[in-house]
Amino acid sequence: MTSPPSIESRAAVAPLAALAARYDDRRPDRWAPVPEQLDAAIAHDIELAEAGRVARAPLVAELARRFEFPAHYLDAILLVPRERFVLPEDLAAAADDTPLPLDRAGHATVSAPHAYLLTYSLLGLVPGDRVLELGTGTGYGAALARRILGPTGHVTSIEIDPALHARAARLLGTRPDGRDGEAFASSGAEPSDQGASVTLLCGDGRSLAERVLACGRALPSERPWKVAVTYALTEPPAALEERLADGGALVAPVGAWEGHQELMRVERRQGALLREVHGAVRYVAERGRG
């Protein structure tokens, strides 16, 4: 159970909530695609970026108390501007450790910050790794991974929703076709020399991931892929597991969306697949497969 926010936490979040009001009435429909001009305005809002960092400081302290995450993972939470990746109407809640919706039906969310770090810690992400993410959303998880992996790492992320894919591309500073693009210039944007390169793909997550992993196994000089699935699968992804190279790992929530889900970790070690279960979780359902 999460403890109620302290007086210090409430004080830290108050400036973010006040500045978020600037964007409350910019759109008649909160579920419509976010215009590029509005994303640019948020990215260039220096006061908002600073308020977001201040508001995330108590969150980082709370995560440090609850978990044993590496220091550079916690630094990523502090430095990556989550407020840029949520809907503009949810800016005031951007520093909360809760998932925030991205569509009316609840098919997509920006997951709670601790959920990304839990997955990355189970994968054992270190600088220079290669991460394959299924479920980009607006790109917050990829932004955290980019920061954690550093300039020698690489993130490939797949999103099935074309509108979310397009928004993630501009927020992460890549073109929708996956090539490097120009990010919004702001105090909240990460310089390219601080983070890993990012490739974004649009389509069915498992189908594209199988192709990426198959190509990766043909390049033994590369580090093995570490796979992060950000939505619930009804069964373990056998095809993806079989394509893991030695030293590669996969973490995914497994279970029916309406029922019990568990966070599963699979690693290939000396040719064998080793499976572990790491507790109950709650994620949105996979899309694109019956």
Side-chain angles (χ1 to χ4, degrees):
M1 178 180 295
T2 302
S3 58
S6 65
I7 295 175
E8 292 80 5
S9 297
R10 291 195 296 270
V13 172
L16 175 63
L19 292 169
R22 295 174 175 176
Y23 304 96
D24 282 347
D25 58 355
R26 296 287 186 98
R27 305 193 301 156
D29 180 4
R30 71 176 266 120
W31 304 117
V34 179
E36 181 174 350
Q37 296 85 350
L38 182 51
D39 273 333
I42 292 170
H44 286 81
D45 191 330
I46 296 174
E47 289 181 300
L48 183 70
E50 179 58 26
R53 277 192 291 270
V54 171
R56 288 190 297 276
L59 168 62
V60 170
E62 176 65 12
L63 294 179
R65 185 186 68 80
R66 292 172 54 200
F67 303 97
E68 295 183 358
F69 293 137
H72 64 292
Y73 284 33
L74 297 172
D75 286 344
I77 295 293
L78 181 65
L79 296 173
V80 173
R82 190 175 186 237
E83 65 275 2
R84 290 185 56 196
F85 297 92
V86 304
L87 293 180
E89 294 80 4
D90 291 328
L91 287 173
D96 295 347
D97 192 26
T98 56
L100 295 171
L102 292 173
D103 63 14
R104 190 189 307 274
H107 291 149
T109 66
V110 180
S111 294
H114 84 270
Y116 292 104
L117 296 197
L118 180 58
T119 292
Y120 297 158
S121 65
L122 290 174
L123 287 173
L125 293 194
V126 295
D129 272 346
R130 295 194 299 167
V131 173
L132 175 59
E133 179 187 47
L134 281 67
T136 312
T138 52
Y140 177 62
L144 291 173
R146 176 171 67 181
R147 185 88 194 189
I148 290 168
L149 299 184
T152 59
H154 182 77
V155 180
T156 292
S157 187
I158 305 169
E159 174 54 49
I160 196 169
D161 185 313
L164 289 178
H165 168 74
R167 188 178 183 214
R170 69 173 181 257
L171 293 178
L172 291 168
T174 65
R175 300 183 188 275
D177 60 7
R179 294 176 296 167
D180 288 342
E182 183 178 351
F184 293 133
S186 78
S187 60
E190 288 185 282
S192 59
D193 61 354
Q194 290 187 0
S197 59
V198 178
T199 298
L200 299 182
L201 305 175
C202 188
D204 178 77
R206 280 203 259 183
S207 297
L208 288 174
E210 289 169 16
R211 291 163 55 186
V212 171
L213 292 176
C215 292
R217 295 194 72 169
L219 299 170
S221 61
E222 298 280 2
R223 291 199 190 187
W225 285 104
K226 294 181 177 179
V227 184
V229 182
T230 69
Y231 44 75
L233 310 176
T234 55
E235 73 287 323
L240 295 181
E241 295 175 357
E242 289 303 317
R243 286 168 172 76
L244 289 176
D246 208 60
L250 178 149
V251 172
V254 177
W257 178 78
E258 304 87 351
H260 182 68
Q261 300 174 11
E262 292 183 313
L263 199 59
M264 180 193 71
R265 181 184 188 274
V266 181
E267 179 184 1
R268 184 174 293 280
R269 190 183 306 166
Q270 296 181 344
L273 288 173
L274 307 177
R275 292 182 174 84
E276 304 169 344
V277 174
H278 290 270
V281 291
R282 184 71 169 177
Y283 282 75
V284 298
E286 179 180 24
R287 288 192 280 174
R289 299 195 178 214

